[in-house]
């Protein structure tokens, strides 16, 4: 495969031959929405660089992504469909909106009457747990979007027991499996889809991108992210009010973001309050003339208060590595929030320059929130497009948004890497302009730059 050229071909269970029960149009000018045809695509690469025709011409001209939406011919007979829905991993705003959307589209648009809600994520498909599924109907899901968390309950782990999970799907006669989850969950869904294919089963596996950190590659955003930023702004405003109310007041806010600092960055930009934004992608020293503590001291001398926003994965190089992993396989992080709080208070105490530090960690308040308007709309459309894809026999794919178009993307591509803040691109540049913090808070920048060039082959 040439550099920058991706295989966006979507797997299908077979030829779609059944007329869709959704009566749309094949013509224009009649006020009726049209079916999406299999020859409708969205271009992945839209930026044009000076060298695109020389070095990236194939990537620019080849990367077309299949558009999502209802097809005129479908693969499954709705009267014989048994669909299943599960949500895995941590809770996130919008999960219930997605569940509701899937159920209503299956029931009202396609006439599907057998929909099972798998309880407690992948754990609900392991026989020893004996978690009975919930039979879902429009009446049951009608109001679930008004509460946070997940109506089906969630869990971590279990996704590696692929054979057992597929055994359960086969035993239940499931032929559509909708999986709501993040990177680890969707690596599990890909393994499940591959095992389904290996066994020759006709089960459509459709992924819906749920990660509050917004770290899926290929797509614009995962659901829950907009709500997370909106709620995080409230925490920053609170910390700012506290900081401004005392001499040498410091507001410290820790937000989600294990490997990617998108929530911290967007919250910093949207709140207009932060003086420092610390993220996993940008290393920093604590001590020394150019280190973080000295820069914080300068900021306090200048304006007598300061606000710090940090992602949970920032500064892990300063903490004792645990070497432990959670049930999802994620490395257990050290608590950067508590570490910063203790180091800051110790630093200024030794300087005989007392500070008033207020530490705010709103993580679980945010995770369990009800989706805001932007996320509610996104979740509604993700759910309906997931159903359209499954009914058309698509599988091993994720529904996502690319250039504001809903598309089908192979799960394999989406879980190949994590989306991260790029230090040299405009988003981080705008954060630096907003906070006024130094480009690098390190005492030996050449060492950091050299390491970055080596890792990214610059």
């Amino acid at each position: 495969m040439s550099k920058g050229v991706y295989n966006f071909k979507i797997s299908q269970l077979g030829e779609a031959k059944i007329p869709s029960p959704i009566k749309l149009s094949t013509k224009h000018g009649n006020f009726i929405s049209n079916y999406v045809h299999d020859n409708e695509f969205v271009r992945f690469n839209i930026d044009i660089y000076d060298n695109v025709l020389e070095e990236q011409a194939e990537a620019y001209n080849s990367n077309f992504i299949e558009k999502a939406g209802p097809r005129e011919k479908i693969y499954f007979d709705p009267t014989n469909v048994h669909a299943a829905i599960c949500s895995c991993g941590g809770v996130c705003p919008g999960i219930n909106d997605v569940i509701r959307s899937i159920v209503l589209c299956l029931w009202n648009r396609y006439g599907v009457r057998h929909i099972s809600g798998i309880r407690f994520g992948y754990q609900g498909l392991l026989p020893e747990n004996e978690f009975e599924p919930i039979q879902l109907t429009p009446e049951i899901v009608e109001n679930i979007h008004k509460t946070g968390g997940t109506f089906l309950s969630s869990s971590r782990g279990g996704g590696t027991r692929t054979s057992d999970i597929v055994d359960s799907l086969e035993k239940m006669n499931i032929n559509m499996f909708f999986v709501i989850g993040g990177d680890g969950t969707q690596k599990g869904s890909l393994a499940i889809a591959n095992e389904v294919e290996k066994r020759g089963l006709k089960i459509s596996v459709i992924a819906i991108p749920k990660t509050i950190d917004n770290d899926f590659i290929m797509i614009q955003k995962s659901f829950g992210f907009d709500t997370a930023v909106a709620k995080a702004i409230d925490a920053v405003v609170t910390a700012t009010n506290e900081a401004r109310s005392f001499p040498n007041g410091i507001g410290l806010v820790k937000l989600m973001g294990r490997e990617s600092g998108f929530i911290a960055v967007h919250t910093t930009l949207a709140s207009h309050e932060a003086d420092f934004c610390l993220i996993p992608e940008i290393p920093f020293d604590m001590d020394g003339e150019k280190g973080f503590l000295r820069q914080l001291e300068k900021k306090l001398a200048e304006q007598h208060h300061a606000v710090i926003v940090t992602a949970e994965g920032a500064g892990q190089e300063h903490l004792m590595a645990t070497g432990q992993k959670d049930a999802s396989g994620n490395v257990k992080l050290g608590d950067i929030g508590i570490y910063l709080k203790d180091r800051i208070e110790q630093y200024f105490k030794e300087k005989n320059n007392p500070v008033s530090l207020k530490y705010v960690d709103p993580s679980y308040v945010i995770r369990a929130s009800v989706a805001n308007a932007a996320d509610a709309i996104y979740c509604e459309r993700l759910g309906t497009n997931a159903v359209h894809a499954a009914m058309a026999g698509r599988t091993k794919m994720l529904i996502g948004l690319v250039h504001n178009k809903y598309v089908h993307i192979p799960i394999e591509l989406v879980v190949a890497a994590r989306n991260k803040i790029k230090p040299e691109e405009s988003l981080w540049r705008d954060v630096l302009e907003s906070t006024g913090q130094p480009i690098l808070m390190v005492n030996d920048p050449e060492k950091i730059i050299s390491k970055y060039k080596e890792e990214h082959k610059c």
Side-chain angles (χ1 to χ4, degrees), residues 108-127:
N108 295 331
R109 299 296 276 162
Y110 286 100
V112 173
R113 294 294 181 266
H114 199 180
I115 310 168
S116 293
I118 307 301
R119 298 167 60 220
F120 302 104
Y122 288 139
Q123 298 284 350
L125 290 167
L126 302 180

Side-chain angles (χ1 to χ4, degrees), residues 12 16 36-41 66-67 71 392 394:
Q12 293 183 239
V36 174
H37 299 284
D38 290 346
N39 61 355
E40 294 186 51
F41 301 93
E66 187 175 85
K67 285 186 70 174
R71 265 59 181 178
R394 302 305 197 264

Side-chain angles (χ1 to χ4, degrees), residues 248 297 344-355:
N248 281 350
E297 185 178 14
I344 291 169
E345 290 177 334
Q346 178 188 7
Y347 178 83
F348 285 99
K349 182 179 180 180
E350 291 174 355
K351 292 267 185 176
N352 197 26
N353 184 14
V355 296

Side-chain angles (χ1 to χ4, degrees), residues 296-310:
L296 175 60
E297 185 178 14
K298 290 179 180 179
K299 180 59 68 174
L300 285 177
E302 173 188 327
Q303 64 181 27
H304 310 297
H305 74 274
V307 177
I308 306 157
V309 173
T310 180

